[in-house]
Amino acid sequence: MTGKLEGKVAIITGASAGIGEATALALAAEGAKVVLAARRGDRLDALAQRIASSGGSALSIITDVTDETQVKNLVQKTNAEFERIDILVNNAGVAFVGAIDGANTSDWRRMIDINVLGLLYATHAVLPILKAQGTGHIVNISSVAGRTAREGISVYNATKWGVNGFSEALRKEVCKHNIRVTIIEPGLVNTEINDHITDPIAKQRSEERRRLIAPLESEDVAAAIVYAVTQPQRVNVNEILIRPTQQEW
Ligand code: NDP
């Protein structure tokens, strides 16, 4: 397999479904060795086999991004296996949306743990390796919700706003080390993210909203990520905002 990412090593969190799965396939198709991280090991293994059967290279490492030790293990195992890390796609995320009043606050903690702290742990764990290499690329999956607030998704908004703020500060800290940082902000994408919403009213509203327009497919977002990570080293695509054509909000 030859491609623009031949010889590169990419870690993708949340690779067991949706955008992460599509990104792993797309990066592998460009020749990257991909390391697949998520909690559902059976799905990671099935994806790794799929990639291997098309001539690619994939390693699955069960990882809960809310556990800093597991995240460190993911990074250390990757570096031990491939002796480098070129790309980290911080994609694992959940959207336990719903009104603030009456919310189950454990949903908020889970969302902040996964969407924000998980991304911070992975970034923290890879940085010494990227700095020592003098190169690397961190791709943080934010959302339209990282720049447009809506009633009913407030804490998801807060997590993605957090991702955007962190990413821009990170870029300023690491650009002098030749490390790139990209924020990807998708609108509605056709994935299983909605299935995990715990608030039944919010889930129904979200499903109705999704029926109004033709959403993006995960492959559309993966293509944006491939675009960002295949630019020449001098080019840092800072931000990609990508909405379905019919999405007005
Ligand atoms: P999916 O629900 O399809 O996939 C989510 C992925 O995150 C799964 O692989 C899941 O794996 C993983 N994940 C969840 N919790 C954890 C955890 N604790 N540790 C490790 N992995 C975890 O969602 P999407 O593909 O839609 O979402 C991917 C990203 O895109 C998220 O950050 C989301 O916020 C963002 N996004 C999604 C949009 C959409 O409309 N779908 C729009 C804008 C942004 P597992 O359960 O196996 O651990």
Side-chain angles (χ1 to χ4, degrees):
M1 194 178 279
T2 54
K4 292 178 187 159
L5 297 173
E6 201 62 43
K8 307 271 187 199
V9 176
I11 297 176
I12 303 109
T13 69
S16 63
I19 295 168
E21 182 178 11
T23 301
L25 286 164
L27 297 181
E30 285 293 348
K33 296 181 178 79
V34 290
V35 178
L36 315 171
R39 293 165 305 174
R40 287 170 290 179
D42 52 339
R43 291 177 70 151
L44 295 181
D45 289 345
L47 178 60
Q49 270 182 13
R50 201 175 146 195
I51 290 169
S53 65
S54 352
S57 164
L59 173 68
S60 57
I61 302 178
I62 293 174
T63 311
D64 183 335
V65 296
T66 67
D67 181 335
E68 190 177 3
T69 306
Q70 290 188 37
V71 176
K72 279 186 180 157
N73 174 60
L74 164 69
V75 169
Q76 280 162 7
K77 267 195 177 161
T78 303
N79 202 37
E81 178 75 21
F82 299 112
E83 296 178 332
R84 61 180 303 107
I85 299 172
D86 297 283
I87 300 164
L88 166 66
V89 184
N90 274 317
N91 163 76
V94 290
F96 300 144
V97 295
I100 302 164
D101 190 14
N104 179 346
T105 57
S106 71
D107 276 354
W108 295 357
R109 280 184 286 279
R110 284 295 291 158
M111 219 168 3
I112 290 166
D113 277 352
I114 297 168
N115 297 6
V116 183
L117 275 172
L119 178 145
L120 303 191
Y121 294 150
T123 303
H124 180 253
V126 296
L127 266 190
I129 295 167
L130 306 191
K131 276 169 113 169
Q133 289 172 176
T135 180
H137 199 151
I138 297 174
V139 179
N140 289 336
I141 310 303
S142 179
S143 169
V144 163
R147 50 156 83 201
T148 306
R150 263 198 7 247
E151 183 183 346
I153 65 163
S154 57
V155 182
Y156 185 64
N157 276 140
T159 65
K160 294 303 188 181
W161 234 276
V163 168
N164 284 13
F166 172 74
S167 302
E168 180 57 6
L170 172 69
R171 188 187 66 74
K172 291 187 166 144
E173 182 175 325
V174 300
C175 64
K176 54 185 157 302
H177 299 285
N178 217 24
I179 296 169
R180 297 185 277 182
V181 178
T182 299
I183 305 169
I184 306 283
E185 298 161 309
L188 273 192
V189 191
N190 183 23
T191 70
E192 65 178 58
I193 200 164
N194 238 47
D195 303 346
H196 304 293
I197 298 174
T198 58
D199 175 335
I201 296 167
K203 189 171 183 175
Q204 193 191 340
R205 279 207 189 118
S206 189
E207 277 163 6
E208 281 163 8
R209 186 180 280 272
R210 276 165 187 272
R211 277 196 289 272
L212 291 177
I213 61 164
L216 298 172
E217 295 299 331
S218 294
E219 292 72 20
D220 304 326
V221 183
I225 295 168
V226 169
Y227 172 78
V229 300
T230 54
Q231 294 306 303
Q233 175 61 42
R234 66 180 179 278
V235 180
N236 184 6
V237 178
N238 297 153
E239 206 169 353
I240 299 182
L241 172 63
I242 170 174
R243 284 187 174 90
T245 303
Q246 297 171 324
Q247 181 173 338
E248 176 263 323
W249 62 90

